[in-house]
Amino acid sequence: MTDDGLSAGAVARRLGVAVTTLRTWHQRYGLGPSQHISGRHRRYTTEDLARLEVMQRLAAEGVAPAEAARWARLAPADALLHDPSKMPTPKVPTPKVREVERQRTSRSRAGGGFTIPLGRAGPAARGLARAAVRLDSPKMREILEDAIEADDVVATWDNVLRPVLVGIGKRHLVTRSLIDVEHLLSRTSSEVLGAVPRPASAITRARILLACTDEEQHSLPLEALEAALAQAGVACRMLGARVPPAALIDSVRRTGPAVVVLWAHTAETADLNQLRRLLAGPRRPLLVLAGGPGWDPESLPSDVVMPASLSDAMRLAMAAADASD
């Protein structure tokens, strides 16, 4: 580290967290940059970074964030700078006690709601889940915008947004709740993804067509794909939710896309006949992608490809679009 200290972005990269997380730790727990140079933003010193490392390690071991921060603040500077990894760990409650406390805290903060299961998701996803349960749309928007700016749309979808959506779905299956949470998160996400700048090239050059099946209403994954393609400078046409088979065939006939992505979220909306009509229709696309968990890979026509992920769909679609030029 230089004498000028580290910026928030540099510290975030070292710790593997979002800059918004550092701001939260600073505002909520007092673990922020202490070095001040006139006319410049405050910078993080070696000691500041060591305290954050202690905070992060203790939190990962199950210590409540407030307690981990208190422990980090009170740690002697000489011990921190010598080897912060050897700082003793405070006594941690048993998993059962932690689960009771998590449910109690979630209910008190969210008006009777429950925590969202996220597995190994990172701090940004956890912050998004907390904001979603609180129905805090401005905070959700801030987290998603910061994630897209720091990484890209694909990383934000894979590491931040999708884990929260999956967690909400799992919790809903058990509690039959959180429908309002899912709706507001989806709407906010649509707004953020829609704000990603689109390519300046004319829409007539768009070689990729995105659509949901006839009865499919969940278009957010396609909106993420559209935004990710836009970030890569690739134009596409987005028809959105519930596209009837005849309307899809008409769109293909009029625009002649090289690639059609047809999305189905559930088995009930995965209409194989719509795929077959697309393959047999006029101006058949070079590549047809069946996107979404609703499709059964074993039942798909041999000419249809099922991408494994958002990045896989991007790669396949862009390669086919380039090959058709």
Side-chain angles (χ1 to χ4, degrees):
M1 184 185 299
T2 68
D3 293 339
D4 291 339
L6 286 173
S7 67
V11 171
R13 287 191 292 274
R14 287 201 181 193
L15 297 178
V17 302
V19 173
T20 53
T21 300
L22 293 182
R23 288 202 293 265
T24 297
W25 288 355
H26 184 194
Q27 296 166 3
R28 186 173 298 174
Y29 306 122
L31 290 175
S34 60
Q35 185 179 82
H36 181 258
I37 299 175
S38 181
R40 297 178 58 182
H41 291 295
R42 287 186 177 272
R43 312 281 280 190
Y44 287 83
T45 65
T46 302
E47 182 179 327
D48 296 334
L49 178 60
R51 293 188 189 281
L52 289 171
E53 289 173 340
V54 170
M55 159 84 177
Q56 187 179 44
R57 176 174 65 85
L58 294 179
E61 292 174 0
V63 180
E67 178 64 16
R70 186 184 69 83
W71 196 261
R73 286 197 309 271
L74 296 177
D78 56 347
L80 281 167
L81 298 178
H82 182 259
D83 189 352
S85 67
K86 293 183 179 179
M87 289 289 296
T89 301
K91 185 177 180 180
V92 180
T94 65
K96 183 177 181 179
V97 171
R98 288 203 304 270
E99 178 61 25
V100 170
E101 178 62 22
R102 278 196 296 267
Q103 292 189 10
R104 183 194 65 79
T105 302
S106 176
R107 285 193 288 270
S108 64
R109 289 182 178 177
F114 294 89
T115 55
I116 297 172
L118 297 177
R120 294 181 174 273
R126 297 188 181 279
L128 181 64
R130 288 192 294 270
V133 171
R134 295 195 306 268
L135 299 180
D136 186 348
S137 186
K139 187 62 177 179
M140 288 189 277
R141 183 178 293 106
E142 176 189 340
I143 292 170
L144 291 171
E145 289 173 345
D146 286 349
I148 290 174
E149 182 179 357
D151 295 308
D152 55 28
V153 171
V154 173
T156 299
W157 174 261
D158 288 341
N159 303 324
V160 182
L161 182 52
R162 186 174 179 274
V164 178
L165 291 169
V166 170
I168 290 173
K170 290 179 178 178
R171 182 61 69 190
H172 174 71
L173 288 175
V174 175
T175 66
R176 312 311 298 175
S177 64
L178 299 184
I179 293 176
D180 54 339
V181 172
E182 191 272 335
H183 281 199
L184 187 59
L185 175 58
S186 295
R187 180 177 177 82
T188 304
S189 302
S190 293
E191 293 171 355
V192 173
L193 293 169
V196 173
R198 268 40 182 177
S201 59
I203 191 63
T204 54
R205 297 187 59 188
R207 306 289 289 141
I208 301 171
L209 181 66
L210 312 180
C212 291
T213 55
D214 190 12
E215 295 300 324
E216 181 57 64
Q217 301 184 62
H218 295 83
S219 62
L220 189 60
L222 284 187
E223 294 170 40
L225 177 56
E226 180 189 21
L229 288 168
Q231 268 196 331
V234 178
C236 67
R237 288 183 173 87
M238 170 64 155
L239 300 185
R242 303 189 69 173
V243 179
L248 181 61
I249 296 299
D250 285 345
S251 296
V252 170
R253 178 178 52 79
R254 288 200 300 270
T255 63
V259 182
V260 172
V261 182
L262 193 60
W263 177 268
H265 187 67
T266 66
E268 289 74 19
T269 62
D271 185 359
L272 289 172
N273 287 328
Q274 193 164 7
L275 282 175
R276 297 187 183 103
R277 288 185 60 179
L278 181 61
L279 294 170
R283 303 188 73 176
R284 169 177 166 164
L286 178 65
L287 175 66
V288 175
L289 297 178
W295 301 106
D296 176 10
E298 301 298 324
S299 301
L300 292 176
S302 59
D303 293 340
V304 174
V305 177
M306 187 173 178
S309 62
L310 179 60
S311 58
D312 192 29
M314 274 192 66
R315 177 183 61 80
L316 292 167
M318 291 171 63
D322 287 342
S324 67
D325 287 339

